[in-house]
Amino acid sequence: MLKNSWLGNEAKGILQPAVVKDNGYRYYRLEQVDQVATIRLLEKLGSSLQEVGDFFALKDLNERQKYLAKQQKEVEKKLLN
């Protein structure tokens, strides 16, 4: 992820670093790797920062699956055009 993406995700409360050092370096927990992978996938699928935040706000697994299925359909539609 680019620095702006990291900071945007942080500003939206999507991905918070475990520690921010005085030099500005941000450190994340190992448990956050899955969250980073999901953010990167959603960005590649064309999701905006707002949509990524909305995705993580969904607590119900079925709702998250519906969102991903919708994104998949949109990508497939773009590939056919």
Side-chain angles (χ1 to χ4, degrees):
M1 291 170 63
L2 298 174
K3 182 179 178 182
N4 289 340
S5 293
W6 283 107
L7 296 176
N9 288 319
E10 186 178 326
K12 282 282 193 184
I14 298 168
L15 182 66
Q16 296 296 323
V19 175
V20 178
K21 296 285 188 171
D22 291 337
N23 62 5
Y25 284 23
R26 289 158 167 70
Y27 295 89
Y28 298 86
R29 297 182 314 274
L30 186 57
E31 298 85 27
Q32 292 175 292
V33 171
D34 287 338
Q35 188 177 8
V36 171
T38 302
I39 291 168
R40 294 191 72 196
L41 171 67
L42 292 171
E43 287 177 339
K44 286 181 181 180
L45 291 174
S47 297
S48 68
L49 186 58
Q50 180 65 48
E51 291 169 326
V52 172
D54 293 346
F55 175 81
F56 281 105
L58 298 172
K59 299 302 177 196
D60 181 58
L61 182 58
N62 290 326
E63 291 298 318
R64 285 187 174 193
Q65 288 175 329
K66 286 179 190 176
Y67 178 85
L68 292 174
K70 178 183 161 220
Q71 288 297 101
Q72 181 179 357
K73 286 180 184 177
E74 289 182 22
V75 168
E76 289 170 353
K77 188 189 310 182
K78 287 179 185 177
L79 291 174
L80 293 174
N81 290 332

